[in-house]
Amino acid sequence: MAYGTYEQLWDVSHEYLEKHVAFVNSLTSLMLERARQLRSQLFSAESTKRDTFVEDFEAAHDKLQSMGKSLQIVVNDWKRLFADQCSVLDTKPAQNPLPADTYFSFGFIAPTLDYHAGQKVQLLVTYIPSPADGTFYALDDSRKDVIRNSLTILQQMPKELLTKAPPAGAVFAVYLDNVWHRAICNMPAAGSGTAELYLLDMGETLAYSDHLPKAKLPSDLCQLPAYAIKCKVSFTAAALPLSLYYSVSCSVVAVENDTLIVEHAEPSREEYAISRDTLTVEELQEMDEMPLSTSNPMKAVLGYVPKDDDRLCKHYDPETKRCFKGSNCRLRHAPKDPDGWTLDKDTVTVSVPARMEVPQTNTYIQLLPTCVVDVDQFYAHIIGNERNDKDYEQLMAEMNDPETVANFKPFKLMPSLGELVIAKYDGIWYRATVCDVFDDMVNVFYFDYGNTATVGSSEVRRWEDRFKYLPYQAACCRIANIQRIKPCHLEAIDQLYKSILDKPMKALVM
């Protein structure tokens, strides 16, 4: 039976048991109750069958054992089915630490070390032996596509599991930390029975355990050279900044037997489309005009400090759109902007979630016009709702309280189109939304009154969500029985302005 079939059978059986757990519990309760009855019959004080006690005990004991065997038979059947075919893959036996001075001999196809002195190479650290003496194991980052394809095949291929370790020198697969690895057992010296594992693609040596899940490998994967390269820092070079699973830039010093002697090499800086060489004289002068007290050029020029280096994964691969850590990586998988722009985003509020109750058609409402837009269009407050009117008065009082105004946050950069802001009009702060942005001016729409105005950047403040609990107060109204004679008829607009603005009126909703 194929491994996948066993896996499917296991899932179906698990689902069956899960659905019938109540039946299993009931059966167990009945068996326990029967065991208590047998005990009562044998050992109760009223029992007078003392002369036949041995026979009765043996009969009752046989019944008790038969009940246990009825369940044990099922367990044994499953054991026979699975014991020789699969292992518990989630088992992670603790690995015994290896003596630091122990040397193990392994026979395998060594990694290809076709490097020359002075060559720059990017290495991905996979294992750092203890104690740290400058030796480490790493993968060549330039071969990451080949390595990824081989290891992907290893994870996805069907496995023929092994019950015992293969002979020394045979490459096989071992399951560690939820990943299948290529491994090989050591060839112990005469008189030594110590068995160890060497992970060909990680460089780590581990104590062998019979409980480790093992599987056969096809010949094509066995014939591939090991990917883990043994590296050592040159004694004449400074210490490398080694961290597990981090990439380091190195320069090859020499190749000695199976070891790559390296030294640290500073990575080349990324060239962006925008630099000092691409800026004009005027732009350079503007950029260099920073106060002497400025300690962070990014904050001085941009108004904030970009966080791309902290949030973006440095191991991101654009082709696979992920990194080698897979789902374990908590950083953002996205490429840097080729022109050097930051990917940081600032969340802004663009709407008020509260909505005004829409009046029904063919009903009369009371309006207080606040702004005339055209001959047939104006904005107005719907009056008559005492609760809403009182809440809006309270909101305006809180928004213009001197202590509240002092805590309003100014904009470090110009606001975005459609962003909600707090804007001043005739010395009073109102709720507004941004319609247009100029060099140092902002055109805003006061959605509680319906009028627009262009104000200076010093007269707008960042929006605060505590002011969004009330809906827009200005309702856009259109007069049904008026027709314009010509567009932007200023005389007619002025006449309507004088007739209805700030004057309560009764209107029929059409």
Side-chain angles (χ1 to χ4, degrees):
M1 190 181 294
Y3 180 76
T5 306
Y6 282 102
E7 185 178 9
Q8 183 179 9
L9 178 60
W10 181 274
D11 292 339
V12 173
S13 301
H14 179 273
E15 182 180 0
Y16 175 85
L17 292 176
E18 187 177 31
K19 290 182 178 180
H20 295 79
V21 64
F23 168 76
V24 174
N25 290 338
S26 300
L27 180 62
T28 305
S29 299
L30 291 174
M31 293 172 67
L32 291 175
E33 181 62 27
R34 179 58 177 159
R36 282 191 289 268
Q37 291 177 359
L38 291 173
R39 176 186 175 84
S40 177
Q41 294 174 5
L42 288 172
F43 301 104
S44 62
E46 294 81 6
S47 178
T48 57
K49 300 179 181 180
R50 309 308 298 176
D51 51 344
T52 60
F53 174 77
V54 175
E55 292 80 3
D56 293 341
F57 178 84
E58 291 178 350
H61 191 262
D62 290 342
K63 291 181 181 179
L64 187 65
Q65 284 190 323
S66 65
M67 287 190 295
K69 287 180 180 179
S70 62
L71 289 180
Q72 189 63 37
I73 289 174
V74 178
V75 176
N76 291 337
D77 288 342
W78 281 101
K79 281 185 177 180
R80 281 193 296 270
L81 179 62
F82 283 101
D84 296 334
Q85 300 296 331
C86 69
S87 303
V88 182
L89 300 184
D90 291 333
T91 302
K92 300 179 182 179
Q95 298 298 317
N96 297 324
L98 300 177
D101 56 349
T102 305
Y103 175 77
F104 299 102
S105 175
F106 296 94
F108 59 92
I109 303 177
T112 305
L113 299 181
D114 51 351
Y115 302 97
H116 56 82
Q119 180 178 349
K120 297 293 190 295
V121 60
Q122 196 74 16
L123 298 176
L124 179 64
V125 181
T126 57
Y127 176 60
I128 304 174
S130 179
D133 59 352
T135 301
F136 65 98
Y137 291 80
L139 302 177
D140 188 341
D141 193 62
S142 64
R143 304 189 61 201
K144 60 183 178 182
D145 293 335
V146 177
I147 298 174
R148 181 187 297 111
N149 292 336
S150 301
L151 297 183
T152 301
I153 294 174
L154 175 60
Q155 307 307 315
Q156 297 176 351
M157 61 178 289
K159 308 293 190 303
E160 182 180 349
L161 299 179
L162 302 173
T163 57
K164 60 181 181 180
V171 179
F172 61 100
V174 63
Y175 194 77
L176 291 168
D177 296 330
N178 300 320
V179 178
W180 286 99
H181 300 269
R182 292 193 303 158
I184 189 170
C185 281
N186 68 318
M187 293 179 287
S192 172
T194 306
E196 307 298 333
L197 284 177
Y198 177 76
L199 305 183
L200 301 185
D201 304 318
M202 301 294 288
E204 186 174 2
T205 302
L206 301 171
Y208 174 78
S209 172
D210 288 328
H211 299 291
L212 286 174
K214 301 171 287 293
K216 289 184 178 180
L217 277 183
S219 59
D220 54 343
L221 288 180
C222 293
Q223 296 302 319
L224 287 177
Y227 290 129
I229 303 173
K230 184 179 180 181
C231 305
K232 190 173 183 62
V233 181
S234 174
F235 290 108
T236 60
L240 274 172
L242 294 179
S243 295
L244 201 59
Y245 304 127
Y246 271 69
S247 182
V248 292
S249 299
C250 299
S251 178
V252 177
V253 176
V255 178
E256 297 180 358
N257 298 326
D258 62 342
T259 304
L260 194 66
I261 310 300
V262 298
E263 62 182 5
H264 186 44
E266 291 292 338
S268 58
R269 295 182 178 272
E270 296 185 26
E271 296 294 334
Y272 294 109
I274 299 177
S275 65
R276 293 187 66 89
D277 297 333
T278 62
L279 299 178
T280 64
V281 177
E282 292 77 10
E283 291 172 336
L284 285 173
Q285 291 176 351
E286 181 179 355
M287 186 177 68
D288 292 337
E289 288 179 357
M290 290 187 292
L292 295 178
S293 60
T294 302
S295 59
N296 194 316
M298 284 288 189
K299 188 172 183 180
V301 176
L302 302 177
Y304 62 96
V305 180
K307 301 295 184 183
D308 295 75
D309 291 336
D310 297 332
R311 296 187 303 107
L312 297 181
C313 178
K314 63 179 69 176
H315 307 299
Y316 169 74
D317 186 348
E319 296 182 2
T320 61
K321 301 192 183 303
R322 61 179 184 177
C323 73
F324 71 94
K325 297 180 182 178
S327 59
N328 294 326
C329 185
R330 296 294 179 261
L331 298 178
R332 180 183 175 186
H333 288 158
K336 288 186 177 181
D337 190 280
D339 294 331
W341 299 110
T342 178
L343 299 184
D344 287 347
K345 294 183 179 179
D346 190 10
T347 304
V348 299
T349 305
V350 296
S351 64
V352 172
R355 290 290 180 265
M356 183 181 295
E357 184 178 355
V358 179
Q360 299 295 323
T361 57
N362 297 321
T363 59
Y364 286 95
I365 58 175
Q366 293 289 331
L367 297 177
L368 181 65
T370 56
C371 177
V372 176
V373 179
D374 206 341
V375 175
D376 58 345
Q377 185 180 359
F378 64 95
Y379 284 89
H381 287 172
I382 301 177
I383 58 179
N385 187 339
E386 296 182 0
R387 173 67 181 274
N388 181 79
D389 296 342
K390 183 178 180 180
D391 288 344
Y392 183 66
E393 289 179 5
Q394 182 178 353
L395 183 145
M396 288 299 297
E398 181 182 358
M399 186 180 294
N400 287 275
D401 182 83
E403 184 176 351
T404 302
V405 173
N407 291 322
F408 283 161
K409 297 179 181 178
F411 281 93
K412 296 179 181 179
L413 302 174
M414 296 299 285
S416 305
L417 298 182
E419 181 178 351
L420 295 187
V421 296
I422 303 171
K424 186 181 287 188
Y425 185 83
D426 286 344
I428 305 296
W429 293 96
Y430 297 92
R431 303 189 299 176
T433 184
V434 177
C435 299
D436 205 350
V437 178
F438 308 101
D439 290 339
D440 56 351
M441 305 289 288
V442 181
N443 183 263
V444 297
F445 170 70
Y446 300 93
F447 51 77
D448 288 325
Y449 287 89
N451 60 313
T452 60
T454 300
V455 299
S457 57
S458 61
E459 296 180 300
V460 290
R461 296 291 186 269
R462 293 184 69 88
W463 174 259
E464 296 189 7
D465 284 343
R466 55 176 169 159
F467 298 134
K468 69 178 184 181
Y469 64 92
L470 274 184
Y472 302 139
Q473 296 298 298
C476 184
C477 306
R478 188 177 296 279
I479 304 176
N481 53 357
I482 287 184
Q483 185 175 0
R484 293 184 296 177
I485 299 176
K486 61 179 180 179
C488 292
H489 195 169
L490 298 180
E491 294 83 357
I493 294 175
D494 184 63
Q495 184 62 41
L496 182 63
Y497 180 89
K498 294 178 180 178
S499 301
I500 68 172
L501 191 68
D502 293 331
K503 297 179 181 178
M505 57 185 294
K506 185 177 182 181
L508 174 65
V509 179
M510 303 298 294

